[in-house]
Amino acid sequence: MTVPFKTCLLIDDNYIDNFVTRRVLEANNFAEKIIVRQSSTEAIQSLKDGSVNPDVIFLDIRMPVMDGFEFLHEYDGLDIAKKGIKIYMLSSSLDPTDIRTSADNKHITQFIHKPLTNKALEEISI
């Protein structure tokens, strides 16, 4: 079975959510490498310094210091933003404004409700 992605970056401040998401990604052979950053600021720094070069990102909305939308604003100013990285907003938010804002953002491929499931992953792997 071919691995759809080389490097997946998971950005979420919640340890349990990261554990569950990582397990689903690993069980589905989704990426060769899964890198977890527990804050948007840490993720931005990793992207800036080149220590992480993802081709897919799963991004939470609600995080302290810098939320997912603020991450996207910072990300937009990076050269890496032009590389066509798929970004999936992975959130437990049911707020219609969050869903609409995600849909309107040019970097977001799709909004996915937590927890990530095998079915949701199969649909985006296509």
Side-chain angles (χ1 to χ4, degrees), residues 73-101:
H73 178 76
E74 290 290 319
Y75 174 84
D76 194 48
L78 302 177
D79 289 338
I80 197 169
K82 297 175 183 79
K83 292 187 176 183
I85 298 168
K86 291 182 179 284
I87 301 178
Y88 296 95
M89 190 64 84
L90 182 61
S91 177
S92 57
S93 175
L94 299 174
D95 184 340
T97 303
D98 287 343
I99 296 168
R100 190 172 36 258
T101 303

PDB file of all heavy atoms in Angstrom, residues 73-101:
ATOM      1  N   HIS A  73      -2.776  33.101   9.544  1.00  0.00           N
ATOM      2  CA  HIS A  73      -2.336  34.454   9.189  1.00  0.00           C
ATOM      3  C   HIS A  73      -0.801  34.507   9.116  1.00  0.00           C
ATOM      4  O   HIS A  73      -0.237  35.049   8.167  1.00  0.00           O
ATOM      5  CB  HIS A  73      -2.878  35.472  10.199  1.00  0.00           C
ATOM      6  CG  HIS A  73      -2.438  36.856   9.929  1.00  0.00           C
ATOM      7  ND1 HIS A  73      -2.984  37.620   8.914  1.00  0.00           N
ATOM      8  CD2 HIS A  73      -1.489  37.629  10.521  1.00  0.00           C
ATOM      9  CE1 HIS A  73      -2.386  38.800   8.887  1.00  0.00           C
ATOM     10  NE2 HIS A  73      -1.475  38.832   9.854  1.00  0.00           N
ATOM     11  N   GLU A  74      -0.136  33.930  10.121  1.00  0.00           N
ATOM     12  CA  GLU A  74       1.335  33.874  10.131  1.00  0.00           C
ATOM     13  C   GLU A  74       1.857  32.994   8.985  1.00  0.00           C
ATOM     14  O   GLU A  74       2.820  33.342   8.313  1.00  0.00           O
ATOM     15  CB  GLU A  74       1.849  33.322  11.465  1.00  0.00           C
ATOM     16  CG  GLU A  74       1.651  34.245  12.633  1.00  0.00           C
ATOM     17  CD  GLU A  74       2.542  35.462  12.583  1.00  0.00           C
ATOM     18  OE1 GLU A  74       3.731  35.326  12.218  1.00  0.00           O
ATOM     19  OE2 GLU A  74       2.049  36.558  12.907  1.00  0.00           O
ATOM     20  N   TYR A  75       1.207  31.874   8.795  1.00  0.00           N
ATOM     21  CA  TYR A  75       1.582  30.916   7.751  1.00  0.00           C
ATOM     22  C   TYR A  75       1.526  31.573   6.367  1.00  0.00           C
ATOM     23  O   TYR A  75       2.394  31.333   5.533  1.00  0.00           O
ATOM     24  CB  TYR A  75       0.629  29.724   7.818  1.00  0.00           C
ATOM     25  CG  TYR A  75       0.784  28.716   6.710  1.00  0.00           C
ATOM     26  CD1 TYR A  75       1.740  27.705   6.791  1.00  0.00           C
ATOM     27  CD2 TYR A  75      -0.035  28.749   5.582  1.00  0.00           C
ATOM     28  CE1 TYR A  75       1.879  26.775   5.781  1.00  0.00           C
ATOM     29  CE2 TYR A  75       0.101  27.818   4.567  1.00  0.00           C
ATOM     30  CZ  TYR A  75       1.056  26.840   4.665  1.00  0.00           C
ATOM     31  OH  TYR A  75       1.201  25.928   3.667  1.00  0.00           O
ATOM     32  N   ASP A  76       0.539  32.415   6.161  1.00  0.00           N
ATOM     33  CA  ASP A  76       0.359  33.082   4.870  1.00  0.00           C
ATOM     34  C   ASP A  76       1.582  33.914   4.472  1.00  0.00           C
ATOM     35  O   ASP A  76       1.855  34.078   3.289  1.00  0.00           O
ATOM     36  CB  ASP A  76      -0.897  33.961   4.903  1.00  0.00           C
ATOM     37  CG  ASP A  76      -1.321  34.410   3.523  1.00  0.00           C
ATOM     38  OD1 ASP A  76      -1.385  33.559   2.609  1.00  0.00           O
ATOM     39  OD2 ASP A  76      -1.581  35.618   3.343  1.00  0.00           O
ATOM     40  N   GLY A  77       2.332  34.397   5.448  1.00  0.00           N
ATOM     41  CA  GLY A  77       3.519  35.196   5.166  1.00  0.00           C
ATOM     42  C   GLY A  77       4.782  34.381   4.940  1.00  0.00           C
ATOM     43  O   GLY A  77       5.840  34.939   4.630  1.00  0.00           O
ATOM     44  N   LEU A  78       4.703  33.074   5.061  1.00  0.00           N
ATOM     45  CA  LEU A  78       5.871  32.215   4.880  1.00  0.00           C
ATOM     46  C   LEU A  78       6.002  31.763   3.428  1.00  0.00           C
ATOM     47  O   LEU A  78       5.004  31.546   2.745  1.00  0.00           O
ATOM     48  CB  LEU A  78       5.769  30.971   5.775  1.00  0.00           C
ATOM     49  CG  LEU A  78       5.641  31.187   7.278  1.00  0.00           C
ATOM     50  CD1 LEU A  78       5.490  29.840   7.984  1.00  0.00           C
ATOM     51  CD2 LEU A  78       6.842  31.936   7.817  1.00  0.00           C
ATOM     52  N   ASP A  79       7.242  31.585   2.981  1.00  0.00           N
ATOM     53  CA  ASP A  79       7.483  31.068   1.625  1.00  0.00           C
ATOM     54  C   ASP A  79       6.869  29.688   1.442  1.00  0.00           C
ATOM     55  O   ASP A  79       6.395  29.347   0.364  1.00  0.00           O
ATOM     56  CB  ASP A  79       8.981  31.004   1.324  1.00  0.00           C
ATOM     57  CG  ASP A  79       9.599  32.381   1.137  1.00  0.00           C
ATOM     58  OD1 ASP A  79       8.853  33.338   0.832  1.00  0.00           O
ATOM     59  OD2 ASP A  79      10.827  32.498   1.297  1.00  0.00           O
ATOM     60  N   ILE A  80       6.868  28.892   2.495  1.00  0.00           N
ATOM     61  CA  ILE A  80       6.344  27.520   2.427  1.00  0.00           C
ATOM     62  C   ILE A  80       4.851  27.505   2.073  1.00  0.00           C
ATOM     63  O   ILE A  80       4.336  26.526   1.551  1.00  0.00           O
ATOM     64  CB  ILE A  80       6.621  26.761   3.751  1.00  0.00           C
ATOM     65  CG1 ILE A  80       6.469  25.259   3.544  1.00  0.00           C
ATOM     66  CG2 ILE A  80       5.754  27.267   4.884  1.00  0.00           C
ATOM     67  CD1 ILE A  80       6.972  24.420   4.695  1.00  0.00           C
ATOM     68  N   ALA A  81       4.156  28.614   2.318  1.00  0.00           N
ATOM     69  CA  ALA A  81       2.716  28.698   2.035  1.00  0.00           C
ATOM     70  C   ALA A  81       2.418  28.560   0.542  1.00  0.00           C
ATOM     71  O   ALA A  81       1.300  28.227   0.159  1.00  0.00           O
ATOM     72  CB  ALA A  81       2.143  30.010   2.564  1.00  0.00           C
ATOM     73  N   LYS A  82       3.410  28.774  -0.276  1.00  0.00           N
ATOM     74  CA  LYS A  82       3.228  28.696  -1.732  1.00  0.00           C
ATOM     75  C   LYS A  82       3.441  27.279  -2.267  1.00  0.00           C
ATOM     76  O   LYS A  82       3.326  27.034  -3.448  1.00  0.00           O
ATOM     77  CB  LYS A  82       4.180  29.669  -2.414  1.00  0.00           C
ATOM     78  CG  LYS A  82       3.912  31.109  -2.058  1.00  0.00           C
ATOM     79  CD  LYS A  82       4.967  32.024  -2.670  1.00  0.00           C
ATOM     80  CE  LYS A  82       4.761  33.446  -2.259  1.00  0.00           C
ATOM     81  NZ  LYS A  82       5.248  33.761  -0.929  1.00  0.00           N
ATOM     82  N   LYS A  83       3.759  26.333  -1.399  1.00  0.00           N
ATOM     83  CA  LYS A  83       4.098  24.979  -1.829  1.00  0.00           C
ATOM     84  C   LYS A  83       2.893  24.050  -1.993  1.00  0.00           C
ATOM     85  O   LYS A  83       3.061  22.886  -2.306  1.00  0.00           O
ATOM     86  CB  LYS A  83       5.099  24.348  -0.860  1.00  0.00           C
ATOM     87  CG  LYS A  83       6.452  25.008  -0.905  1.00  0.00           C
ATOM     88  CD  LYS A  83       7.446  24.245  -0.072  1.00  0.00           C
ATOM     89  CE  LYS A  83       8.826  24.878  -0.201  1.00  0.00           C
ATOM     90  NZ  LYS A  83       9.824  24.124   0.533  1.00  0.00           N
ATOM     91  N   GLY A  84       1.699  24.551  -1.745  1.00  0.00           N
ATOM     92  CA  GLY A  84       0.515  23.717  -1.939  1.00  0.00           C
ATOM     93  C   GLY A  84       0.308  22.663  -0.876  1.00  0.00           C
ATOM     94  O   GLY A  84      -0.203  21.580  -1.153  1.00  0.00           O
ATOM     95  N   ILE A  85       0.696  22.964   0.347  1.00  0.00           N
ATOM     96  CA  ILE A  85       0.502  22.037   1.458  1.00  0.00           C
ATOM     97  C   ILE A  85      -0.989  21.942   1.760  1.00  0.00           C
ATOM     98  O   ILE A  85      -1.680  22.955   1.838  1.00  0.00           O
ATOM     99  CB  ILE A  85       1.270  22.520   2.709  1.00  0.00           C
ATOM    100  CG1 ILE A  85       2.768  22.554   2.424  1.00  0.00           C
ATOM    101  CG2 ILE A  85       0.944  21.664   3.922  1.00  0.00           C
ATOM    102  CD1 ILE A  85       3.585  23.277   3.474  1.00  0.00           C
ATOM    103  N   LYS A  86      -1.479  20.729   1.908  1.00  0.00           N
ATOM    104  CA  LYS A  86      -2.890  20.544   2.268  1.00  0.00           C
ATOM    105  C   LYS A  86      -3.034  20.778   3.764  1.00  0.00           C
ATOM    106  O   LYS A  86      -2.323  20.166   4.559  1.00  0.00           O
ATOM    107  CB  LYS A  86      -3.356  19.137   1.915  1.00  0.00           C
ATOM    108  CG  LYS A  86      -3.444  18.884   0.429  1.00  0.00           C
ATOM    109  CD  LYS A  86      -3.957  17.481   0.199  1.00  0.00           C
ATOM    110  CE  LYS A  86      -4.091  17.192  -1.263  1.00  0.00           C
ATOM    111  NZ  LYS A  86      -5.235  17.807  -1.883  1.00  0.00           N
ATOM    112  N   ILE A  87      -3.953  21.676   4.141  1.00  0.00           N
ATOM    113  CA  ILE A  87      -4.209  21.945   5.551  1.00  0.00           C
ATOM    114  C   ILE A  87      -5.661  21.589   5.853  1.00  0.00           C
ATOM    115  O   ILE A  87      -6.583  22.087   5.207  1.00  0.00           O
ATOM    116  CB  ILE A  87      -3.937  23.416   5.921  1.00  0.00           C
ATOM    117  CG1 ILE A  87      -2.489  23.794   5.624  1.00  0.00           C
ATOM    118  CG2 ILE A  87      -4.274  23.664   7.402  1.00  0.00           C
ATOM    119  CD1 ILE A  87      -2.138  25.246   5.914  1.00  0.00           C
ATOM    120  N   TYR A  88      -5.820  20.721   6.838  1.00  0.00           N
ATOM    121  CA  TYR A  88      -7.149  20.319   7.292  1.00  0.00           C
ATOM    122  C   TYR A  88      -7.376  20.906   8.675  1.00  0.00           C
ATOM    123  O   TYR A  88      -6.568  20.687   9.577  1.00  0.00           O
ATOM    124  CB  TYR A  88      -7.270  18.793   7.332  1.00  0.00           C
ATOM    125  CG  TYR A  88      -7.153  18.182   5.964  1.00  0.00           C
ATOM    126  CD1 TYR A  88      -5.936  17.713   5.499  1.00  0.00           C
ATOM    127  CD2 TYR A  88      -8.265  18.102   5.126  1.00  0.00           C
ATOM    128  CE1 TYR A  88      -5.822  17.172   4.226  1.00  0.00           C
ATOM    129  CE2 TYR A  88      -8.157  17.570   3.857  1.00  0.00           C
ATOM    130  CZ  TYR A  88      -6.932  17.108   3.415  1.00  0.00           C
ATOM    131  OH  TYR A  88      -6.812  16.577   2.155  1.00  0.00           O
ATOM    132  N   MET A  89      -8.442  21.678   8.819  1.00  0.00           N
ATOM    133  CA  MET A  89      -8.808  22.209  10.124  1.00  0.00           C
ATOM    134  C   MET A  89      -9.488  21.074  10.870  1.00  0.00           C
ATOM    135  O   MET A  89     -10.547  20.598  10.446  1.00  0.00           O
ATOM    136  CB  MET A  89      -9.740  23.404   9.959  1.00  0.00           C
ATOM    137  CG  MET A  89      -9.988  24.173  11.229  1.00  0.00           C
ATOM    138  SD  MET A  89      -8.513  24.957  11.919  1.00  0.00           S
ATOM    139  CE  MET A  89      -8.448  26.472  10.979  1.00  0.00           C
ATOM    140  N   LEU A  90      -8.860  20.600  11.927  1.00  0.00           N
ATOM    141  CA  LEU A  90      -9.370  19.480  12.718  1.00  0.00           C
ATOM    142  C   LEU A  90      -9.785  20.037  14.073  1.00  0.00           C
ATOM    143  O   LEU A  90      -8.939  20.373  14.900  1.00  0.00           O
ATOM    144  CB  LEU A  90      -8.284  18.408  12.876  1.00  0.00           C
ATOM    145  CG  LEU A  90      -8.659  17.152  13.641  1.00  0.00           C
ATOM    146  CD1 LEU A  90      -9.811  16.408  12.963  1.00  0.00           C
ATOM    147  CD2 LEU A  90      -7.437  16.241  13.771  1.00  0.00           C
ATOM    148  N   SER A  91     -11.087  20.179  14.275  1.00  0.00           N
ATOM    149  CA  SER A  91     -11.565  20.877  15.464  1.00  0.00           C
ATOM    150  C   SER A  91     -12.852  20.270  16.014  1.00  0.00           C
ATOM    151  O   SER A  91     -13.634  19.676  15.274  1.00  0.00           O
ATOM    152  CB  SER A  91     -11.818  22.350  15.119  1.00  0.00           C
ATOM    153  OG  SER A  91     -12.334  23.050  16.216  1.00  0.00           O
ATOM    154  N   SER A  92     -13.056  20.476  17.295  1.00  0.00           N
ATOM    155  CA  SER A  92     -14.315  20.059  17.923  1.00  0.00           C
ATOM    156  C   SER A  92     -15.338  21.191  17.892  1.00  0.00           C
ATOM    157  O   SER A  92     -16.460  21.028  18.358  1.00  0.00           O
ATOM    158  CB  SER A  92     -14.064  19.613  19.365  1.00  0.00           C
ATOM    159  OG  SER A  92     -13.457  20.654  20.087  1.00  0.00           O
ATOM    160  N   SER A  93     -14.971  22.321  17.337  1.00  0.00           N
ATOM    161  CA  SER A  93     -15.864  23.484  17.294  1.00  0.00           C
ATOM    162  C   SER A  93     -17.097  23.204  16.433  1.00  0.00           C
ATOM    163  O   SER A  93     -16.998  22.669  15.330  1.00  0.00           O
ATOM    164  CB  SER A  93     -15.129  24.697  16.724  1.00  0.00           C
ATOM    165  OG  SER A  93     -16.022  25.791  16.583  1.00  0.00           O
ATOM    166  N   LEU A  94     -18.239  23.578  16.974  1.00  0.00           N
ATOM    167  CA  LEU A  94     -19.502  23.504  16.231  1.00  0.00           C
ATOM    168  C   LEU A  94     -19.971  24.900  15.835  1.00  0.00           C
ATOM    169  O   LEU A  94     -21.052  25.056  15.277  1.00  0.00           O
ATOM    170  CB  LEU A  94     -20.572  22.811  17.079  1.00  0.00           C
ATOM    171  CG  LEU A  94     -20.254  21.370  17.486  1.00  0.00           C
ATOM    172  CD1 LEU A  94     -21.319  20.845  18.440  1.00  0.00           C
ATOM    173  CD2 LEU A  94     -20.131  20.479  16.274  1.00  0.00           C
ATOM    174  N   ASP A  95     -19.161  25.898  16.134  1.00  0.00           N
ATOM    175  CA  ASP A  95     -19.491  27.292  15.847  1.00  0.00           C
ATOM    176  C   ASP A  95     -19.547  27.500  14.326  1.00  0.00           C
ATOM    177  O   ASP A  95     -18.546  27.302  13.635  1.00  0.00           O
ATOM    178  CB  ASP A  95     -18.426  28.192  16.470  1.00  0.00           C
ATOM    179  CG  ASP A  95     -18.715  29.673  16.322  1.00  0.00           C
ATOM    180  OD1 ASP A  95     -19.516  30.065  15.442  1.00  0.00           O
ATOM    181  OD2 ASP A  95     -18.126  30.459  17.088  1.00  0.00           O
ATOM    182  N   PRO A  96     -20.705  27.904  13.804  1.00  0.00           N
ATOM    183  CA  PRO A  96     -20.838  28.124  12.363  1.00  0.00           C
ATOM    184  C   PRO A  96     -19.834  29.160  11.817  1.00  0.00           C
ATOM    185  O   PRO A  96     -19.397  29.052  10.679  1.00  0.00           O
ATOM    186  CB  PRO A  96     -22.273  28.626  12.189  1.00  0.00           C
ATOM    187  CG  PRO A  96     -22.990  28.228  13.427  1.00  0.00           C
ATOM    188  CD  PRO A  96     -21.965  28.145  14.515  1.00  0.00           C
ATOM    189  N   THR A  97     -19.464  30.108  12.660  1.00  0.00           N
ATOM    190  CA  THR A  97     -18.482  31.117  12.236  1.00  0.00           C
ATOM    191  C   THR A  97     -17.122  30.468  11.991  1.00  0.00           C
ATOM    192  O   THR A  97     -16.444  30.793  11.011  1.00  0.00           O
ATOM    193  CB  THR A  97     -18.358  32.238  13.293  1.00  0.00           C
ATOM    194  OG1 THR A  97     -19.651  32.816  13.494  1.00  0.00           O
ATOM    195  CG2 THR A  97     -17.395  33.314  12.836  1.00  0.00           C
ATOM    196  N   ASP A  98     -16.712  29.545  12.860  1.00  0.00           N
ATOM    197  CA  ASP A  98     -15.443  28.839  12.674  1.00  0.00           C
ATOM    198  C   ASP A  98     -15.460  28.026  11.383  1.00  0.00           C
ATOM    199  O   ASP A  98     -14.486  28.021  10.621  1.00  0.00           O
ATOM    200  CB  ASP A  98     -15.155  27.904  13.851  1.00  0.00           C
ATOM    201  CG  ASP A  98     -14.752  28.640  15.112  1.00  0.00           C
ATOM    202  OD1 ASP A  98     -14.375  29.825  15.022  1.00  0.00           O
ATOM    203  OD2 ASP A  98     -14.814  28.025  16.191  1.00  0.00           O
ATOM    204  N   ILE A  99     -16.561  27.352  11.148  1.00  0.00           N
ATOM    205  CA  ILE A  99     -16.685  26.515   9.948  1.00  0.00           C
ATOM    206  C   ILE A  99     -16.666  27.384   8.694  1.00  0.00           C
ATOM    207  O   ILE A  99     -15.962  27.081   7.727  1.00  0.00           O
ATOM    208  CB  ILE A  99     -17.956  25.640  10.028  1.00  0.00           C
ATOM    209  CG1 ILE A  99     -17.823  24.667  11.213  1.00  0.00           C
ATOM    210  CG2 ILE A  99     -18.185  24.883   8.716  1.00  0.00           C
ATOM    211  CD1 ILE A  99     -19.093  23.955  11.598  1.00  0.00           C
ATOM    212  N   ARG A 100     -17.377  28.495   8.727  1.00  0.00           N
ATOM    213  CA  ARG A 100     -17.420  29.414   7.589  1.00  0.00           C
ATOM    214  C   ARG A 100     -16.053  30.069   7.353  1.00  0.00           C
ATOM    215  O   ARG A 100     -15.583  30.170   6.223  1.00  0.00           O
ATOM    216  CB  ARG A 100     -18.501  30.477   7.819  1.00  0.00           C
ATOM    217  CG  ARG A 100     -18.815  31.334   6.624  1.00  0.00           C
ATOM    218  CD  ARG A 100     -20.031  32.249   6.807  1.00  0.00           C
ATOM    219  NE  ARG A 100     -20.209  32.808   8.145  1.00  0.00           N
ATOM    220  CZ  ARG A 100     -21.090  32.370   9.050  1.00  0.00           C
ATOM    221  NH1 ARG A 100     -21.868  31.350   8.774  1.00  0.00           N
ATOM    222  NH2 ARG A 100     -21.191  32.943  10.229  1.00  0.00           N
ATOM    223  N   THR A 101     -15.403  30.499   8.446  1.00  0.00           N
ATOM    224  CA  THR A 101     -14.082  31.118   8.331  1.00  0.00           C
ATOM    225  C   THR A 101     -13.077  30.127   7.753  1.00  0.00           C
ATOM    226  O   THR A 101     -12.234  30.490   6.931  1.00  0.00           O
ATOM    227  CB  THR A 101     -13.606  31.643   9.704  1.00  0.00           C
ATOM    228  OG1 THR A 101     -14.586  32.576  10.198  1.00  0.00           O
ATOM    229  CG2 THR A 101     -12.270  32.335   9.606  1.00  0.00           C
TER     230      THR A 101
END
